[in-house]
Amino acid sequence: MATDDMWIWDGGRVCLDFANTLRRRWRATPEETLRNPVDLVLWLQEAGLLAPGAPDPATAAVLASGRRLRETVDRAVLAVADGRLPASGDVTLLNRSAAEAPRPALQIAITDGRLEPAGTTSLAADATAALALVAQDAVDLLLSAEIRRVRICGADTCALRFLDRSPAHNRRWCSMSRCGNRTKVRLHQARARRSEHTAES
């Protein structure tokens, strides 16, 4: 079973967080955090998509479907973010998955004197419907202007996907506290070693 630290919530959209459940994509064998149906159910609950104590646990077939959806979301999002059209098969799978559950009712709130979205009213009753909510989020992202802000973490050993909502649109890391600081420390140490080597020469 995956532990909470295996799941990273820095994507900025639930569909990107879901894509990030396959870690270290740069490796020949990436790290799978959804190892079994229980992991999938726990992730969907942590993501706020699946009601706790859902009556029907996920099956191996639902897990396989979820992993297939995850890779479809990843391919489609990266294609459109790069200015290309997604594969027609990926569009078909996203549409079919998104139709598996009714769209939750959007709520509104008054915040600082203006109307804003306040989330949705319901959680899915089973894992298949929760995966449909992931697909719906991916469809929303693909059709939104935010798709141009999807990035891949700039750290050499990461490759997590995230939505750059920084004011200057120049965010490079999935998380400053994780990849950003580590990369800066590593680069600083490398510069210090070069300076020492130059001084000794």
Side-chain angles (χ1 to χ4, degrees), residues 116-193:
E116 292 186 344
T120 56
T121 59
S122 62
L123 298 175
D126 60 47
T128 298
L131 288 170
L133 299 179
V134 173
Q136 289 173 5
D137 184 60
V139 169
D140 283 345
L141 177 59
L142 290 167
L143 295 173
S144 76
E146 281 192 321
I147 189 63
R148 297 292 187 193
R149 295 187 187 178
V150 172
R151 307 281 186 264
I152 297 175
C153 183
D156 293 341
T157 58
C158 183
L160 290 179
R161 285 69 164 123
F162 65 90
L163 192 59
D164 178 7
R165 289 187 173 129
S166 65
H169 310 306
N170 62 352
R171 181 174 156 198
R172 296 179 58 197
W173 322 111
C174 62
S175 165
M176 194 62 200
S177 63
R178 190 175 39 257
C179 290
N181 285 339
R182 286 182 199 157
T183 301
K184 288 184 175 188
V185 167
R186 184 176 50 78
L187 292 174
H188 175 73
Q189 290 170 340
R191 281 192 299 273
R193 283 192 297 275

Side-chain angles (χ1 to χ4, degrees), residues 13 32-33 39 45 49 51 62 65 80 84-85 88 94 100 103-104 118 140 142 144 147 159-160 162 168 176 194 197:
R13 294 287 294 243
E32 179 62 76
T33 66
D39 287 341
Q45 289 172 340
L49 301 174
V62 173
S65 176
V80 178
R84 296 177 286 116
L85 288 174
S88 61
L94 282 172
E100 290 290 324
R103 183 170 291 276
D140 283 345
L142 290 167
S144 76
I147 189 63
L160 290 179
F162 65 90
M176 194 62 200
R194 281 196 303 273
H197 179 68

Side-chain angles (χ1 to χ4, degrees), residues 95-112:
N95 285 335
R96 190 174 345 140
S97 296
E100 290 290 324
R103 183 170 291 276
L106 186 64
Q107 302 289 291
I108 58 173
I110 298 174
T111 307
D112 297 326

Side-chain angles (χ1 to χ4, degrees), residues 1-7 31-43 45:
M1 180 186 303
T3 57
D4 286 344
D5 62 342
M6 291 300 295
W7 297 326
E31 180 182 341
E32 179 62 76
T33 66
L34 302 178
R35 297 182 183 111
N36 56 56
V38 173
D39 287 341
L40 175 62
V41 167
L42 290 174
W43 188 90
Q45 289 172 340

